[in-house]
Amino acid sequence: MKKILTLILVSALGGIMTLSAYKIFMEEDGQIQMTTSTDSTLSYFPTSSKAVASYGTLNVPDFTEAAANAVHNVVHVKNTTISRAPMTLQDLFMGRNTERAQVGTGSGVIISPDGYIITNNHVITGAQQISIALNNNRIYTAELIGTDEKTDIALLKIDADEDLPFATFGDSDQAKVGEWVLAVGNPFNLTSTVTAGIISAKSRDLSGVNAQSFIQTDAAVNPGNSGGALVNTRGELIGINTAITSQTGSYIGYSFAVPSNIARKVVEDIMEFGNVQNGILGVRGGELNSKSAETFEVNVTQGFYVSDVEERSGAEKAGIRKGDIIKKIDNITISKFSDLSGYLSTKRPDDVVNLTLIRSGSEKVIPVTLSKSEISTVDFLDMQLRNIPSNLKKSANIAHGVVVIKNDNYALYKSLGINRGYIITEINDQKINDVDDIIKLKQKYGDDIEKNLKKLSIINSSGQKESFIFK
């Protein structure tokens, strides 16, 4: 019994000693010192610690319904051009025909049940015969209704014996960067093919002269897909696939589409007027960034700086001034010139747009009625002429004339050297003040204007005055 009590006492004493040692060495001021390390580094950037769900639980878009509809709206376009090669002696002796048929292919999109089809202008350029193959393998001969080289859009028509499936236009202005899209084409005359991607950017200009406003995507598009459809996840048409950037001629990651709002306006103009009606704002200037802001001496780095206003234009009538900075047109934010030019491509003369601009540090909203292009430009003798900007008149001390902005008249270029930037001051000893005087000459002489051209006075690119007499 004594041994048992002794053993119990020793055990209790050992426990008391162990607890006392723990209190002395492992605790300080009554707080337990944990051995687990804690990262106390401060973060200066917003950080999310939320775990990413596994791929299988993500809400992945379902493209099947959009694709099922779109493939039947897209057609194969084949254009045939007859070229004539020089006849050789062998051709002559063997009686061979030197005409050769050259075939080009692309895609198109049916936009109405009665057979109107939209495609690219470059797909059917020079074609003597155009045939359309539907997704159900039926083939039709197409009629060319009209084209617009500037936007690379063409309108075709086929006569089918039944209503055709057709694409519904979406609002390309509402398309967002990062939004899923499908590119649908029929490049091989098999059946329509579908590729998926996202919108990489909007208002892209590949020309370098602010003449384009493409939607950029990373959906795979190859040359035979030109003229095909770019659709959103609802199957709405938001673009016409047009171009790729590639050194090999094949897709390498970027493709470009004409926005549906521009394409729809072009085909509606062709159907109603026979040509494209362009609404002119009537301002000149440049997009703002850090460098141009210094040049224009403003402290704003985003928007469009107005350096000059066209005489008699809607902008002048609305009171737009030099030095105004256009921040928005309707609900479209202007960060580069192609934002402005792209939106104006969807408008016609006499349409009203609301400009949100900054003037003297204050924001204003001014409605502007768009003008006809004829107020500033006119085609004459295969040249495109426009009024001289008022700031150029002042700086160059030019009293009157019109400036050449394009010359497709090979004879005038070859023999006289008339090129872009030349100023025509007199025709047949009649002073030319502006494009209205050119329009009056065209009305006076009609189609015989070239025969009636006797004298042309110009100011060349060096500022020298010259006169040419025609016999």
Side-chain angles (χ1 to χ4, degrees):
M1 186 69 178
K2 259 175 147 186
K3 289 183 179 181
I4 294 173
L5 289 173
T6 301
L7 183 60
I8 293 172
L9 183 61
V10 171
S11 298
L13 183 60
I16 292 169
M17 292 175 66
T18 302
L19 182 61
S20 298
Y22 180 83
K23 289 285 187 179
I24 292 169
F25 295 107
M26 300 301 292
E27 290 187 11
E28 184 178 341
D29 297 331
Q31 297 296 321
I32 297 176
Q33 300 299 309
M34 304 299 292
T35 58
T36 304
S37 64
T38 302
D39 185 3
S40 59
T41 305
L42 292 175
S43 175
Y44 293 94
F45 302 99
T47 305
S48 173
S49 59
K50 186 178 180 180
V52 177
S54 65
Y55 182 80
T57 60
L58 287 175
N59 185 19
V60 180
D62 182 4
F63 300 126
T64 55
E65 185 175 349
N69 293 328
V71 293
H72 298 296
N73 305 333
V74 174
V75 301
H76 178 76
V77 180
K78 182 172 75 172
N79 79 72
T80 304
T81 303
I82 305 300
S83 62
R84 186 182 295 274
M87 181 169 285
T88 64
L89 285 174
Q90 192 176 18
D91 291 330
L92 185 62
F93 286 130
M94 299 185 67
R96 291 188 304 205
N97 194 336
T98 59
E99 290 185 345
R100 302 286 186 271
Q102 294 181 328
V103 176
T105 62
S107 302
V109 185
I110 305 172
I111 57 173
S112 71
D114 57 345
Y116 280 100
I117 295 170
I118 188 171
T119 187
N120 286 143
N121 177 59
H122 75 260
V123 169
I124 51 82
T125 298
Q128 267 119 7
Q129 184 178 5
I130 303 171
S131 65
I132 301 294
L134 305 187
N135 200 50
N136 61 8
N137 295 326
R138 290 194 174 188
I139 298 175
Y140 299 90
T141 299
E143 175 190 1
L144 177 61
I145 304 299
T147 66
D148 181 49
E149 184 178 353
K150 180 182 176 182
T151 55
D152 198 14
I153 292 294
L155 182 64
L156 310 175
K157 176 73 165 62
I158 62 174
D159 293 323
D161 52 4
E162 60 183 353
D163 286 350
L164 300 174
F166 63 95
T168 300
F169 279 98
D171 185 353
S172 55
D173 289 338
Q174 299 301 316
K176 306 296 183 185
V177 173
E179 178 181 335
W180 281 100
V181 288
L182 299 177
V184 189
N186 193 327
F188 307 116
N189 196 18
L190 299 172
T191 54
S192 296
T193 59
V194 179
T195 55
I198 62 168
I199 295 177
S200 306
K202 296 178 66 179
S203 301
R204 286 297 202 211
D205 175 31
L206 304 181
S207 68
V209 293
N210 299 313
Q212 299 166 333
S213 184
F214 287 130
I215 295 173
Q216 177 183 323
T217 79
D218 66 351
V221 173
N222 282 291
N225 293 78
S226 290
L230 186 72
V231 303
N232 58 24
T233 54
R234 294 187 297 273
E236 298 167 341
L237 183 67
I238 62 168
I240 300 298
N241 298 317
T242 297
I244 58 175
T245 55
S246 170
Q247 295 179 340
T248 64
S250 298
Y251 171 78
I252 59 169
Y254 298 110
S255 56
F256 301 88
V258 178
S260 61
N261 287 2
I262 294 177
R264 185 181 69 245
K265 187 259 182 183
V266 168
V267 297
E268 287 175 349
D269 281 357
I270 290 172
M271 292 172 70
E272 185 174 352
F273 305 103
N275 57 19
V276 178
Q277 306 289 298
N278 294 310
I280 303 299
L281 186 60
V283 297
R284 285 185 292 274
E287 61 187 54
L288 288 171
N289 51 42
S290 298
K291 187 176 181 179
S292 61
E294 286 184 23
T295 304
F296 294 130
E297 298 181 347
V298 296
N299 57 3
V300 179
T301 58
Q302 194 175 56
F304 181 84
Y305 180 84
V306 178
S307 62
D308 195 32
V309 181
E310 192 77 46
E311 295 179 2
R312 298 179 296 123
S313 67
E316 184 190 53
K317 293 174 183 177
I320 305 300
R321 305 174 190 168
K322 177 183 177 180
D324 287 344
I325 298 172
I326 301 174
K327 299 290 289 182
K328 279 186 176 183
I329 178 167
D330 289 339
N331 63 337
I332 304 298
T333 299
I334 305 303
S335 59
K336 49 188 178 295
F337 183 75
S338 52
D339 291 325
L340 181 64
S341 61
Y343 186 72
L344 289 173
S345 295
T346 68
K347 298 297 179 182
R348 297 185 179 91
D350 298 326
D351 283 351
V352 177
V353 296
N354 291 306
L355 298 185
T356 302
L357 52 84
I358 296 176
R359 177 183 295 168
S360 303
S362 299
E363 187 173 283
K364 296 178 177 291
V365 178
I366 299 178
V368 178
T369 301
L370 300 181
S371 314
K372 294 182 179 180
S373 60
E374 287 80 3
I375 67 158
S376 59
T377 62
V378 64
D379 292 328
F380 177 74
L381 294 176
D382 293 327
M383 296 184 291
Q384 192 172 35
L385 312 174
R386 71 167 300 153
N387 290 332
I388 304 173
S390 56
N391 57 349
L392 177 60
K393 273 187 176 181
K394 186 176 180 180
S395 62
N397 194 25
I398 299 172
H400 59 275
V402 291
V403 62
V404 179
I405 58 176
K406 185 179 180 183
N407 185 8
D408 291 327
N409 190 318
Y410 182 75
L412 288 179
Y413 171 74
K414 180 74 174 176
S415 59
L416 308 182
I418 294 177
N419 206 346
R420 180 172 177 163
Y422 278 55
I423 293 170
I424 298 175
T425 57
E426 293 183 5
I427 297 176
N428 294 349
D429 290 323
Q430 177 181 332
K431 184 171 72 172
I432 302 299
N433 292 297
D434 50 34
V435 296
D436 282 348
D437 289 335
I438 301 293
I439 292 172
K440 291 174 184 176
L441 280 175
K442 291 179 68 174
Q443 293 171 344
K444 178 180 179 180
Y445 294 117
D447 295 335
D448 295 328
I449 190 165
E450 194 161 359
K451 296 178 182 178
N452 286 279
L453 183 62
K454 306 299 181 186
K455 185 178 180 182
L456 192 65
S457 299
I458 66 165
I459 299 174
N460 62 27
S461 56
S462 301
Q464 299 173 326
K465 296 182 179 179
E466 298 181 78
S467 291
F468 303 100
I469 298 174
F470 301 87
K471 295 181 179 179

